[in-house]
Amino acid sequence: WVPMFCAWGVTMGSNNVDVLMRPWKSHENIKTLHFRPDEDKKFDFWHSYRRNDDICKDSEGANNDDGASSTEQEQTSSSSILMIVEVEDIVVDLNSSAAVEPIISSAVKEAGLTKLSIKVLGANSGNEEGGAYVLVYILQEGYVLARVWPERKFIALDLLLWTHFHKQDDAKANILKALGNNSDEEKDSSLSYRIVTGGKFGSMTWKEDADNVGPPPLKSKLCTVSTYEKEPRDNPITQDDTDNVLIEGISLIQSEDDAVAVICGNNKGPCRAQDVLAKAGASVTPVWTCPTLQDDANDFDLVRMYGCEMETLMRLREIASDADGNGKISGIVIDQDVPFAMGQILHKVFSSAGQRKELLSNEYVIIETSLIPNANESTSSSWRRALLDMFRTDFVQFSPAYCAEVFFHNNAEGSSLELGVFSTGDDAFFSHLVAAIENIEATTNLAPDVRYVKNGVNNYLAEFKPKERFSDSDYKEMNEDDSANAHKSKKAHYLMGGQSVLQFQSSTDDEEEDEDQVPISCARIKDALQRSLTVMNGAGMDDADIQEYEDAKMGKGCVVVALWSGGNAIMLWDGQTGVDLNVFTNSESIEVHDAFADNLMKYIPSLKLRLRDDQPRGVGAS
């Protein structure tokens, strides 16, 4: 028999919200079946957490991968953003293209885009009323293609920009508003998504556009000292702060009966961790570093190491046997003066599964604190972090087995405090950790920075029987209770056609025929499209109206538009080696679009199909 492991997970992130420390916000009127929001159980589904330091690196003057940055002097690649918009339940009368054309034209102009040409094709390309039609707006920054079905009160809109990408959302909003589409999210009857396609070289604003593509290169709020609105203090971090962190950190040990051992430094000096915890009322017992271990010695012989291991093991056994509860150790505190060699001894002692079972409770916590002189350098405590994580990865392995690293900062550059924790057996660890951090912040007025909380591997539950089971009918009943969802579920669906966005790249090969070496040009692009339509012999293809648009204001290359009764196509050449085809046909037949691609590569042999996106267009998608 092979056990079946079923698990699900959701990864959530934010560049501006600390999802661990931020207070819970309850969202009402969101119906769920299994998940039931509860402030006291908000971490029940959490497995791990980490702060993403990548967004904090190179945040100043970061480059992007979309062709260039403002520091580059030559454009190396180009891109466009094609927004697909399905607009339903349009209020404006769509029967006359002559009436609709200026509405969309004004909306585009209001968004700051420049119209160069307009093309209309359809049953009512004049003032007369009739069936479906197409409006094509050639812009200095891209194009807008509107496929209009008056009887369905529906427009399938393509909004493509190869420059001034930031104006795309405004253009969409203006068009929807002008058409009478409801802007209320609950009643909005439009659907939109984006596709990244090839663009144009030679745009006058390509440097500005390169900086505007992708996430802005701004330092995240999470890269600052604190994500809390309360400002941390300015005065330096002291040893008293370390003591307060330790006192609050000990609250993570949930057992009150089992023993707590403090691993101390050399027995010739004080053990501050023991003194602080004892003064705070905690019952702790010291385990001193072996006298034979010296901080600066790197040549420990096996005899001394083995002797120290046995001495430490015997001391831990004494502590466990004196415990009031189960005769186990439920907490270990590592003092900041403990040397690396003693860390090696601890690792050796607890590497034995038998000794862990003998000494440690089923639920135990290991805590270490360090005062780090430079907030950006934590190598002095690296071995402590490595030791704690070994308990998670090598010793316990299975969840709940949490390893957490938390830093505390003041408002000035300089030292910081580190709290390292390993905890096993505590299903509510996240809640306990957050409570401890909040208490530390209140006591010290230092800003917390939770770097990560790592968990062990999910457990396999044999003969698992879920407490609740849900069927499709449960979800259906829940949706039907919502009038808005019920309305959407009853909405009619009409397929109006199929669309493909094909991206080609021209590659020159010396071994290919001479015809392949002919450079791409606007004339060649137009000829290839015309020849493809002729040989395909589809509905109205041989009578297609083909127009070429080439203007220096648009950048290099050109746009070729083909309109026929059964569909439309727009080819975009970037001025170098990239060619894109946006084709729509009234039927969703994928074979027609395949033929388009094959014919174009036949008439321009250097073209190779690189990317392809296929999608249906129609009513009911929103």
Side-chain angles (χ1 to χ4, degrees):
W1 292 89
V2 178
M4 181 175 64
F5 187 89
C6 298
W8 57 265
V10 175
T11 300
M12 180 177 67
S14 172
N15 70 336
N16 206 39
V17 176
D18 187 338
V19 294
L20 178 66
M21 301 302 298
R22 182 164 179 167
W24 179 303
K25 179 180 179 180
S26 177
H27 296 271
E28 299 179 357
N29 301 323
I30 298 179
K31 297 182 179 180
T32 60
L33 288 177
H34 178 62
F35 176 71
R36 296 175 178 85
D38 186 335
E39 173 70 23
D40 296 330
K41 299 180 180 180
K42 63 182 181 180
F43 295 116
D44 281 5
F45 291 100
W46 283 46
H47 181 272
S48 300
Y49 167 89
R50 76 178 177 95
R51 193 190 78 167
N52 185 6
D53 287 328
D54 292 341
I55 62 176
C56 304
K57 298 175 182 176
D58 300 326
S59 59
E60 298 295 334
N63 292 336
N64 59 63
D65 298 326
D66 284 315
S69 73
S70 58
T71 60
E72 294 184 351
Q73 299 303 315
E74 183 178 354
Q75 188 177 5
T76 57
S77 65
S78 64
S79 62
S80 295
I81 299 179
L82 172 62
M83 179 183 284
I84 305 292
V85 189
E86 310 282 41
V87 192
E88 305 176 13
D89 301 330
I90 295 174
V91 176
V92 169
D93 185 0
L94 301 177
N95 283 298
S96 172
S97 61
V100 175
E101 181 272 314
I103 293 176
I104 297 179
S105 182
S106 297
V108 170
K109 182 179 179 180
E110 187 180 344
L113 300 174
T114 306
K115 181 184 64 177
L116 298 178
S117 179
I118 299 175
K119 186 69 178 176
V120 183
L121 178 73
N124 57 3
S125 55
N127 293 323
E128 70 279 5
E129 296 185 358
Y133 54 91
V134 177
L135 300 171
V136 182
Y137 302 79
I138 302 299
L139 311 175
Q140 183 174 312
E141 302 86 0
Y143 65 77
V144 176
L145 192 154
R147 308 174 188 89
V148 186
W149 285 269
E151 72 281 4
R152 300 294 185 196
K153 298 182 179 181
F154 171 73
I155 295 180
L157 197 68
D158 290 358
L159 176 53
L160 180 141
L161 296 180
W162 54 69
T163 183
H164 290 171
F165 305 117
H166 60 284
K167 297 181 179 180
Q168 193 170 54
D169 286 329
D170 289 341
K172 171 197 166 185
N174 291 346
I175 293 173
L176 294 183
K177 182 179 179 180
L179 294 173
N181 182 258
N182 200 317
S183 60
D184 188 336
E185 290 186 2
E186 295 184 357
K187 299 179 181 179
D188 184 14
S189 54
S190 68
L191 170 73
S192 65
Y193 54 93
R194 291 178 171 89
I195 300 173
V196 178
T197 65
K200 266 175 161 285
F201 283 89
S203 167
M204 292 183 292
T205 59
W206 67 268
K207 289 186 178 182
E208 175 186 344
D209 295 329
D211 289 337
N212 288 330
V213 172
L218 300 176
K219 181 169 284 191
S220 165
K221 181 180 178 183
L222 298 184
C223 297
T224 59
V225 171
S226 176
T227 57
Y228 284 2
E229 294 186 4
K230 179 182 177 182
E231 285 293 327
R233 73 182 199 218
D234 294 324
N235 50 316
I237 296 175
T238 66
Q239 189 62 52
D240 290 339
D241 296 313
T242 305
D243 298 342
N244 288 325
V245 170
L246 183 60
I247 291 171
E248 294 296 340
I250 203 75
S251 66
L252 295 169
I253 301 174
Q254 300 301 302
S255 174
E256 297 180 356
D257 297 328
D258 294 331
V260 175
V262 178
I263 311 301
C264 299
N266 196 299
N267 60 4
K268 295 182 180 179
C271 182
R272 189 176 182 96
Q274 180 200 8
D275 296 341
V276 168
L277 293 176
K279 186 176 180 180
S283 177
V284 295
T285 307
V287 177
W288 295 95
T289 296
C290 302
T292 55
L293 302 182
Q294 302 297 324
D295 291 353
D296 56 352
N298 295 316
D299 56 341
F300 304 123
D301 59 54
L302 293 178
V303 175
R304 280 190 290 169
M305 292 292 285
Y306 180 75
C308 182
E309 178 187 340
M310 292 298 101
E311 180 182 337
T312 302
L313 176 60
M314 293 301 296
R315 181 62 178 142
L316 290 171
R317 283 173 173 165
E318 291 176 4
I319 295 173
S321 63
D322 292 340
D324 295 334
N326 298 319
K328 304 282 186 178
I329 296 173
S330 62
I332 297 175
V333 178
I334 301 176
D335 185 75
Q336 58 186 357
D337 291 332
V338 173
F340 169 65
M342 190 60 181
Q344 291 179 302
I345 296 298
L346 292 174
H347 178 265
K348 184 67 175 177
V349 169
F350 291 114
S351 292
S352 167
Q355 289 170 182
R356 292 198 304 273
K357 185 176 181 180
E358 174 191 359
L359 299 172
L360 300 175
S361 171
N362 292 331
E363 300 179 11
Y364 63 90
V365 176
I366 304 175
I367 298 172
E368 66 89 11
T369 58
S370 301
L371 179 59
I372 303 171
N374 188 325
N376 297 319
E377 297 179 3
S378 56
T379 54
S380 61
S381 59
S382 60
W383 72 262
R384 291 177 171 83
R385 275 184 264 116
L387 177 62
L388 296 187
D389 204 41
M390 283 182 180
F391 274 84
R392 179 184 69 90
T393 59
D394 298 349
F395 300 162
V396 179
Q397 297 184 343
F398 292 98
S399 177
Y402 296 97
C403 184
E405 180 185 276
V406 187
F407 279 77
F408 295 90
H409 311 271
N410 58 10
N411 203 28
E413 294 291 337
S415 59
S416 63
L417 271 174
E418 179 185 7
L419 170 65
V421 181
F422 171 77
S423 173
T424 181
D426 184 3
D427 290 315
F429 176 75
F430 273 105
S431 296
H432 295 146
L433 178 65
V434 169
I437 292 173
E438 289 175 344
N439 290 337
I440 292 172
E441 191 201 21
T443 303
T444 64
N445 198 21
L446 295 174
D449 176 10
V450 183
R451 298 294 176 88
Y452 60 73
V453 180
K454 303 175 184 178
N455 197 359
V457 180
N458 285 326
N459 280 291
Y460 170 70
L461 301 179
E463 304 298 330
F464 172 71
K465 294 182 180 180
K467 297 179 180 179
E468 298 177 284
R469 294 178 181 271
F470 303 102
S471 64
D472 291 340
S473 60
D474 294 319
Y475 290 93
K476 183 178 179 181
E477 290 174 4
M478 182 180 67
N479 287 335
E480 287 178 349
D481 289 339
D482 189 328
S483 59
N485 288 339
H487 171 72
K488 287 186 177 183
S489 65
K490 296 175 183 178
K491 192 178 228 180
H493 294 259
Y494 300 101
L495 178 64
M496 311 310 292
Q499 179 181 19
S500 293
V501 180
L502 310 170
Q503 300 183 49
F504 301 89
Q505 195 74 26
S506 176
S507 57
T508 308
D509 192 331
D510 294 337
E511 297 180 359
E512 295 194 15
E513 300 178 3
D514 292 342
E515 182 183 356
D516 300 349
Q517 307 304 317
V518 178
I520 295 178
S521 65
C522 294
R524 195 175 185 202
I525 292 291
K526 181 178 179 181
D527 177 70
L529 180 58
Q530 191 166 29
R531 292 170 69 182
S532 298
L533 289 167
T534 301
V535 299
M536 289 174 63
N537 198 27
M541 287 185 176
D542 51 346
D543 294 326
D545 183 356
I546 303 178
Q547 297 290 330
E548 173 189 331
Y549 299 92
E550 186 176 7
D551 192 311
K553 296 178 182 179
M554 300 164 61
K556 297 180 180 180
C558 61
V559 175
V560 179
V561 179
L563 305 176
W564 65 94
S565 59
N568 42 78
I570 298 183
M571 290 192 71
L572 172 64
W573 174 44
D574 67 2
Q576 293 192 8
T577 60
V579 177
D580 287 9
L581 172 67
N582 178 3
V583 58
F584 171 86
T585 54
N586 291 340
S587 68
E588 200 188 5
S589 173
I590 199 70
E591 290 79 8
V592 176
H593 300 179
D594 290 340
F596 254 112
D598 293 340
N599 284 318
L600 288 176
M601 289 186 289
K602 174 182 177 182
Y603 297 123
I604 307 179
S606 63
L607 290 185
K608 306 297 180 186
L609 182 61
R610 300 304 185 193
L611 294 171
R612 176 171 180 162
D613 293 278
D614 301 306
Q615 53 270 341
R617 304 298 297 268
V619 180
S622 62

